[in-house]
Amino acid sequence: MATVLMCRRLPRLSRVTAFSSTAERKAERGSGGSEEEKPDKPGAAKTGTEAGATIQLLKPQDYRVLYNPAAYARGRAGSRQREGRDSSQALGDTFTGTVQAPRTFPTASSRALSPVGNALPEPSSSTLGEQPSLARRYQEEAEKEKREVHDSKEDPRVFQKGRPEYRSLSCDSTEPAPSLPAEEGEAVLQSVAGCEGSPAALRDSFLKLSRLPAERRAALASDPRFRALCRRALTALGLFSTPELIQVLKACVPLALPARHPLLNACEAEFCRRAWDMGLEQLLLVADCWRCLDRSVPSYLGILFSYAGLHWKELTLPQFVQLLYIIGEGRRSPADLAQKVESTILKHLDAFTLEELGAICLGLFKSLSGISDHVMRRIADRVSLQMEDMSTYALVNVLKMLRYTRMDHPPLMRELGKVIPARIPATNIQGIMHITLTYSSLHFFDEGVLAAVASSLPSKVSYCRSKDAAKFLWSFGCLDYEPPNEEEFYSSLIKQLHAKLHEFNKFPEHLLTALLGLAFVKRFPEELIDFALRKNFVQKTRGSKYELQKDLFTLGRSVEIECPSYRGSRLPPQLYQELTEMVSSFAEREIYVRPEIVEATSLLESMLGGPEYVKSHMILPHTRSGDLEVRLAADGRPVPFNFQDPVAAEKLKDVGVPLTDDLMSQLIRGRADYHSPTEAGNKGRQERGEAAGAQKKKVAFPAGLRQPQEVRLALQVSNRNHFCYGSRRLLGLHCLKRRQLRLLGYVVVEIPFWEWFPLLKRTRSEKLSYLHYKVFCPALLAGAG
C-alpha cells in the first residue's frame, strides 16, 4: 500500500530587488519525470549571420527583426536578413541550432516536481482505501491533459471544404457513411474463415468493416478473424489493382490500423513500386491516407515530389494546394520545387480562397520552406484587404509565415489590430500564442491587441503548454508591455510555469525564454531562477540542440545586478569568463566596426582630446550591445581612463618619462598642457557628486590627495532595431540594459538613430556640435549630481 504526501509551495516573485533575505536556500537537486512531446515540426535550420551595418537602416523596408532567444531563432529567416543588422545583436541573432518544433504533451506525470523543490519522496506504506483515490486522481489528470490537447487544436483540412475537387484528392474520415449493422459485420468476419477470397472480395470486406460503429471498429484489433483478413490481404497484395489497393488503404483509416501495422508496411512498399504508373490525383490521395494514418513515409513522398516536379504544368489549383498541404504535413521541403511553388502562387493568387491561402502558408511554414519577400508581400496585400472574411485559423497561418520571413507589412498589421481583438476570446490558446508571437517577432506594438490577449489569457492559462507560456512571457517582455491586469496576467503564467516544471528538464529552452521575458519587465521569480541556474539544469542546457549559454549569461548577470539580495544558485565564474570573451570577440568583429559607431568614436576622440578619453566597448556584455563610455570630472572636464587602448598606450609610451604619482594626478585632473575645447564653457560649473552606485576607478593616490569624483557616461548609439516598429518605444532588452546601467551608476546618454543617422551625411562641425551638446549637456550633468 502507498501514500502520497501532497505539498504545495507558493512561488516567490521578486520585482527587481524585492528578494527575501532570510536564510540562504539550499541548492537542492530535484528531478522529475519529463514527459515526451510529440513533434509537430521536426527538422533543423541553421542560423546565418551577416555583417556590416549601413546607413540604409533609415529605409523603412530595412527594418529587421533581431534578437530572439536561442530556442526561437529561425534559421532561414535569419539568413535572409538584409544588411543593417542591429548592434544590439552581438550574439543574439547569430545562434546556431535547429528550430524547436511545436509539441503536444501526453498525460502529465503526477510525480512532477513541486514548485522548484525536490521531487516528492518515495511513497511509503498506507491503507488499502487510499489506493483507488490515487488511481482516480491519475485518471482525472490524464483526461484533463487529453481535453487540453483537444481544445487547443484546429482542423488543418478546412480548406478542403471549399471545392468539390478535393473529394478525389483527400481521405476525409469525417465524411458521413451509411453505418453497417453489427450483424453484417459479424457475417463478414465469419466469411473470412471459409475461403481465401479474391482481391475484390477482400477489398469489399475492408470497406464494409470500415462502416461499422466506432465502438465495434475499436474491438476489431483484438479479433483473430480480422487479423486473419489482414494476413490474407497482405498475401494477395500484388494481385490488387491500383484502385482496389487505394480503397483498401482508405478503409484502413476509419479502421484505425496502427501506423506500423504489417499490412501498412506492405502497402507502402507496393505504392512506392507502382507510383510512377499512377496519376497525380491517385498519388495525392494515397499521400493523404498516410497522413490520416499518422504514418511517416519519406520514400513515398520523395517519389510524389519528383513526379509532381516532372508534371508541374499539369497541376490544377486544388492539386497544387493539396500538394503544399502534404509538403507541410510531411515536414519536408523539396528544394527543387521552390521556384515552381512561388510562380504558381503568383499565378493563382487571386483565385485562391482565403482558407486555401492559409493552408498554403501553413504548408510552407511547417516544411520550413523559404519564400521570397515579393511573394509574401503579395499574399499579405490580399489578406489585409479581405481579413474580415478570413477565418481566425487561416489568418493565424498567414501570420506564421509572415513571422518566418521576418517581413514587415504595416497595412496587414494595422488591419489585424482592428479585426483580431474581438476574436481573441473565442480563439484557442495556441492561436493566441501565435498572434502574440507575431507582434513581438516583428517588433510591432499594438496595445489593443496585447490588452485583449492579457484579458483572455488567465482563464485559459491551464491549456498552455510550457512553450506557450514561455512565448507569451517573452512576447510581452520583448515589447516591454505590462497590461492593465498585469498582476493577474503574470501570476497566472508564472503559476503555469511551476505546474509544467517537470517539462523543462527535457526542454530547458522554454524556461530560459520565459525567465528572460520576465526579466525584461523587472520580474524575477526566485524559485524558478534558482532552478534555472542550478548546476544540473545548466548541464542540461549544454546538451540541448540550441545554443542556450548566452541566454543563461543574460539571465545570470541580470539577477546579480537587479536582485542583490538573491541567495539562490548562480552560474560559475569560469562560465561567465568564457561567455564574456566570446561575446567580446564577436563585438570586435561585428559591432565596434559599424559606421555609425566608428564615426561617433572618432569624433568623440577628436573632441575630447584623444582615444584615452573614450572607450568603445560593452559595459554589460550580457546585454549583447555596445557602448561608448566617457568620463567627466565633477567640474565637467573630460577624464582620461582608456589607457588599454593601443593608440593611447603608445602615446604614453612615447613620452619617455616615468609614470609618477604626480603625473598620474595630472592625468586624472586633466593634462596641464591641454585644454578641452569645451573647458572654457564649463569652468563655472559647480562640483557635482558621482552618479549613485558608480564604481570608482582603482588608482593609487598620494597621501592627502582626494580622488576626484567622476560622472560616467554610457552613450547609446542606437538604431531602429532597438525600438518597436515605426516608433520610439524601446524594446525590452534595451530597457533592461539602460535600467541596469543606471543601477551601476552610469548616466545613460541617448544618441538615437532619428537624430544621429541624418547627421552622418552632414558636415563634421555639425556632428561635433551635436556630440558636444550630448556629452556636456548641463541638465544631464546636473541630474548626475
Side-chain angles (χ1 to χ4, degrees):
M1 301 303 103
T3 184
V4 174
L5 176 63
M6 300 299 295
C7 174
R8 174 171 294 180
R9 298 176 59 191
L10 295 176
R12 298 172 61 189
L13 174 66
S14 292
R15 291 300 303 269
V16 187
T17 59
F19 274 88
S20 170
S21 58
T22 55
E24 183 173 344
R25 298 180 65 250
K26 294 182 180 179
E28 298 172 345
R29 296 296 184 263
S31 61
S34 176
E35 298 297 330
E36 179 65 26
E37 292 182 341
K38 183 179 177 181
D40 235 17
K41 293 200 299 268
K46 296 182 178 180
T47 304
T49 62
E50 294 180 17
T54 69
I55 309 303
Q56 293 175 352
L57 281 168
L58 282 170
K59 297 181 180 179
Q61 64 266 29
D62 283 334
Y63 180 92
R64 306 310 296 163
V65 178
L66 302 164
Y67 188 80
N68 280 323
Y72 306 120
R74 286 272 180 191
R76 295 193 182 185
S79 66
R80 293 166 56 83
Q81 292 179 2
R82 300 181 184 91
E83 291 185 356
R85 293 176 49 220
D86 177 12
S87 64
S88 73
Q89 285 307 52
L91 287 160
D93 62 344
T94 59
F95 297 126
T96 55
T98 56
V99 177
Q100 172 62 30
R103 301 172 185 269
T104 57
F105 296 105
T107 306
S109 170
S110 61
R111 295 199 41 161
L113 285 174
S114 60
V116 184
N118 286 344
L120 293 176
E122 291 296 327
S124 57
S125 60
S126 182
T127 59
L128 179 64
E130 292 175 335
Q131 192 68 19
S133 63
L134 186 61
R136 281 196 300 274
R137 182 161 57 83
Y138 289 167
Q139 184 176 2
E140 289 172 1
E141 290 179 357
E143 292 300 321
K144 178 182 177 182
E145 193 72 24
K146 290 178 181 178
R147 287 197 302 273
E148 289 181 6
V149 172
H150 172 75
D151 291 344
S152 298
K153 294 295 183 181
E154 295 276 2
D155 182 10
R157 303 162 66 85
V158 174
F159 72 93
Q160 296 175 346
K161 303 183 185 301
R163 299 180 192 270
E165 294 91 333
Y166 287 112
R167 294 175 185 171
S168 62
L169 303 174
S170 61
C171 175
D172 190 352
S173 57
T174 63
E175 287 182 353
S179 181
L180 187 73
E183 298 78 12
E184 291 190 34
E186 192 68 22
V188 171
L189 292 172
Q190 289 292 348
S191 67
V192 174
C195 62
E196 289 296 326
S198 64
L202 292 171
R203 175 206 58 192
D204 292 341
S205 297
F206 276 97
L207 292 175
K208 290 178 179 178
L209 293 176
S210 69
R211 292 163 43 206
L212 285 171
E215 62 276 7
R216 186 69 187 92
R217 293 199 306 269
L220 288 176
S222 58
D223 194 316
R225 296 169 297 178
F226 180 71
R227 291 199 294 269
L229 176 65
C230 291
R231 285 194 298 270
R232 290 184 180 177
L234 194 154
T235 303
L237 207 62
L239 302 177
F240 285 91
S241 67
T242 297
E244 288 174 337
L245 192 58
I246 292 175
Q247 288 181 305
V248 170
L249 186 64
K250 284 188 68 174
C252 290
V253 174
L255 290 172
L257 261 63
R260 291 299 155 194
H261 194 282
L263 178 59
L264 297 184
N265 294 341
C267 283
E268 180 186 355
E270 187 66 19
F271 277 119
C272 286
R273 187 181 66 83
R274 300 186 186 192
W276 291 101
D277 297 323
M278 297 164 60
L280 188 57
E281 185 175 280
Q282 292 178 318
L283 289 169
L284 289 169
L285 174 57
V286 170
D288 199 57
C289 290
W290 292 131
R291 191 214 62 81
C292 292
L293 288 164
D294 198 23
R295 181 183 173 94
S296 176
V297 287
S299 297
Y300 178 83
L301 292 181
I303 297 173
L304 168 62
F305 300 153
S306 297
Y307 187 101
L310 292 174
H311 299 80
W312 194 264
K313 293 183 179 179
E314 303 170 16
L315 258 68
T316 63
L317 185 151
Q319 288 176 342
F320 170 72
V321 178
Q322 182 69 12
L323 177 64
L324 279 188
Y325 166 72
I326 294 299
I327 288 174
E329 294 303 308
R331 273 64 174 183
R332 290 191 57 189
S333 176
D336 56 324
L337 297 184
Q339 188 60 43
K340 295 178 179 178
V341 167
E342 290 199 3
S343 61
T344 305
I345 290 175
L346 294 175
K347 175 183 176 182
H348 296 296
L349 184 59
D350 294 330
F352 292 128
T353 66
L354 294 173
E355 299 305 311
E356 286 173 333
L357 274 180
I360 289 169
C361 287
L362 182 61
L364 294 171
F365 178 80
K366 285 185 173 182
S367 61
L368 304 179
S369 300
I371 185 173
S372 69
D373 282 358
H374 172 67
V375 175
M376 190 66 238
R377 195 170 296 279
R378 289 287 304 279
I379 293 174
D381 287 341
R382 185 180 168 196
V383 170
S384 64
L385 296 175
Q386 299 177 279
M387 190 177 294
E388 290 187 358
D389 300 325
M390 198 171 195
S391 73
T392 303
Y393 178 70
L395 180 56
V396 167
N397 291 335
V398 173
L399 295 181
K400 290 178 181 179
M401 202 59 199
L402 193 72
R403 188 178 83 229
Y404 180 73
T405 56
R406 303 283 199 226
M407 191 196 73
D408 59 300
H409 195 284
L412 185 146
M413 299 303 292
R414 285 194 289 268
E415 186 67 20
L416 186 65
K418 300 175 184 177
V419 171
I420 207 63
R423 299 189 187 185
I424 292 292
T427 304
N428 67 48
I429 199 68
Q430 292 178 8
I432 298 174
M433 180 271 290
H434 282 294
I435 292 168
T436 310
L437 190 61
T438 298
Y439 276 91
S440 66
S441 296
L442 300 179
H443 296 175
F444 204 97
F445 180 79
D446 189 313
E447 187 171 6
V449 174
L450 295 177
V453 170
S455 176
S456 297
L457 188 63
S459 62
K460 300 181 178 185
V461 75
S462 60
Y463 296 121
C464 281
R465 303 166 297 175
S466 59
K467 68 179 300 181
D468 298 327
K471 290 182 177 182
F472 279 121
L473 290 170
W474 167 262
S475 297
F476 275 69
C478 176
L479 296 173
D480 190 40
Y481 178 67
E482 295 186 274
N485 63 331
E486 60 177 285
E487 294 305 325
E488 179 189 23
F489 174 78
Y490 282 109
S491 62
S492 65
L493 282 170
I494 292 172
K495 182 180 178 181
Q496 187 68 0
L497 292 180
H498 281 277
K500 298 291 186 181
L501 196 64
H502 59 286
E503 295 173 2
F504 297 132
N505 282 314
K506 189 171 182 63
F507 306 105
E509 60 273 10
H510 301 330
L511 179 58
L512 292 180
T513 297
L515 292 177
L516 283 177
L518 287 166
F520 291 164
V521 291
K522 301 180 287 187
R523 292 177 182 266
F524 297 88
E526 178 180 342
E527 293 187 341
L528 292 173
I529 291 170
D530 175 65
F531 183 83
L533 299 182
R534 290 179 183 177
K535 183 177 179 181
N536 59 342
F537 187 85
V538 173
Q539 190 61 38
K540 286 181 172 59
T541 66
R542 293 181 183 273
S544 171
K545 64 182 68 174
Y546 307 104
E547 176 53 71
L548 301 178
Q549 300 299 298
K550 291 175 285 294
D551 289 347
L552 277 172
F553 186 31
T554 302
L555 177 64
R557 284 299 193 207
S558 295
V559 170
E560 290 184 358
I561 295 172
E562 302 204 46
C563 306
S565 60
Y566 171 70
R567 296 294 180 267
S569 303
R570 297 181 185 272
L571 296 178
Q574 58 270 25
L575 181 57
Y576 280 138
Q577 183 63 29
E578 293 173 8
L579 291 170
T580 299
E581 292 175 357
M582 179 170 56
V583 171
S584 299
S585 175
F586 180 88
E588 290 175 359
R589 301 191 310 270
E590 300 290 337
I591 296 180
Y592 308 149
V593 297
R594 297 182 185 278
E596 67 272 21
I597 296 177
V598 170
E599 182 73 357
T601 305
S602 174
L603 290 169
L604 285 170
E605 290 175 354
S606 176
M607 183 180 76
L608 298 175
E612 62 267 33
Y613 289 89
V614 59
K615 185 175 183 179
S616 178
H617 69 132
M618 288 188 294
I619 299 173
L620 301 175
H622 64 279
T623 61
R624 315 176 195 187
S625 58
D627 308 88
L628 295 179
E629 183 176 355
V630 172
R631 299 184 188 180
L632 302 178
D635 61 358
R637 291 181 302 167
V639 175
F641 68 97
N642 184 24
F643 303 121
Q644 294 181 349
D645 183 276
V647 178
E650 186 65 26
K651 289 177 70 175
L652 284 178
K653 179 180 178 182
D654 292 342
V655 171
V657 297
L659 192 61
T660 64
D661 287 340
D662 287 340
L663 179 58
M664 179 63 77
S665 178
Q666 291 178 16
L667 289 173
I668 294 299
R669 292 179 176 177
R671 292 176 298 173
D673 60 344
Y674 170 75
H675 298 279
S676 168
T678 62
E679 187 175 339
N682 293 311
K683 284 182 179 180
R685 289 197 178 109
Q686 298 292 324
E687 183 176 353
R688 298 181 180 93
E690 166 181 335
Q695 300 175 354
K696 306 290 191 297
K697 183 173 180 65
K698 297 180 179 179
V699 179
F701 287 89
L705 182 62
R706 185 173 62 87
Q707 179 180 359
Q709 292 181 330
E710 295 177 353
V711 176
R712 296 190 174 193
L713 307 182
L715 280 68
Q716 306 299 302
V717 183
S718 61
N719 62 51
R720 66 178 63 249
N721 290 311
H722 293 190
F723 300 85
C724 292
Y725 182 89
S727 77
R728 298 180 182 181
R729 181 188 183 92
L730 275 171
L731 294 171
L733 174 66
H734 303 288
C735 290
L736 172 141
K737 176 187 178 180
R738 285 153 175 76
R739 186 171 71 236
Q740 292 179 4
L741 284 170
R742 294 186 182 101
L743 286 172
L744 294 177
Y746 284 88
V747 176
V748 176
V749 179
E750 297 290 350
I751 302 181
F753 71 90
W754 58 85
E755 294 176 354
W756 181 237
F757 278 33
L759 279 173
L760 294 176
K761 301 178 182 179
R762 307 297 290 271
T763 65
R764 176 181 174 84
S765 61
E766 287 177 298
K767 289 181 278 191
L768 283 170
S769 177
Y770 173 83
L771 292 174
H772 179 278
Y773 172 78
K774 285 291 184 178
V775 172
F776 297 105
C777 175
L780 182 148
L781 288 171

